[in-house]
Amino acid sequence: MPKPEIHYSHSFGMGFWIEEDGRLMSCPAFENGSFDIENAIAVSEWDDPSVYTPEHLLVLAQVAQICTLKRDYVNIGYYAEKFRSVSV
């Protein structure tokens, strides 16, 4: 399977993507635009979600949607290439 494409959120200062098992993952972003994958954590395991405003939660819902679309786009390309030679 292809590697997930990471979406950067300015609101959170973090990168987000969907893992193969379907979990929404997050990791800190460096100032140079790269991501600290070593410290990735599932959003469901964040310590205290009560610190986020309703606006942050709306942005997080949008981030999850973007990550899902990116994952599906990457997977469609992967499978299209993998099965390109198969005739119907």
Side-chain angles (χ1 to χ4, degrees):
M1 290 297 293
K3 290 185 177 182
E5 191 172 318
I6 298 176
H7 171 72
Y8 175 70
S9 168
H10 292 277
S11 298
F12 290 96
M14 302 178 87
F16 293 89
W17 70 96
I18 305 286
E19 277 287 297
E20 285 186 25
D21 62 6
R23 292 181 303 158
L24 179 62
M25 299 295 293
S26 64
C27 69
F30 294 120
E31 289 182 11
N32 67 5
S34 63
F35 299 100
D36 185 6
I37 302 294
E38 302 281 323
N39 288 304
I41 185 171
V43 171
S44 62
E45 295 175 10
W46 284 1
D47 288 338
D48 187 9
S50 69
V51 300
Y52 297 105
T53 66
E55 290 77 19
H56 276 108
L57 297 179
L58 288 173
V59 170
L60 188 59
Q62 292 171 343
V63 165
Q65 184 177 20
I66 290 167
C67 289
T68 301
L69 291 171
K70 282 186 169 199
R71 179 204 56 198
D72 293 349
Y73 179 77
V74 167
N75 286 345
I76 286 170
Y78 170 78
Y79 286 115
E81 185 64 30
K82 185 170 181 123
F83 296 108
R84 177 173 44 169
S85 62
V86 176
S87 5
V88 178

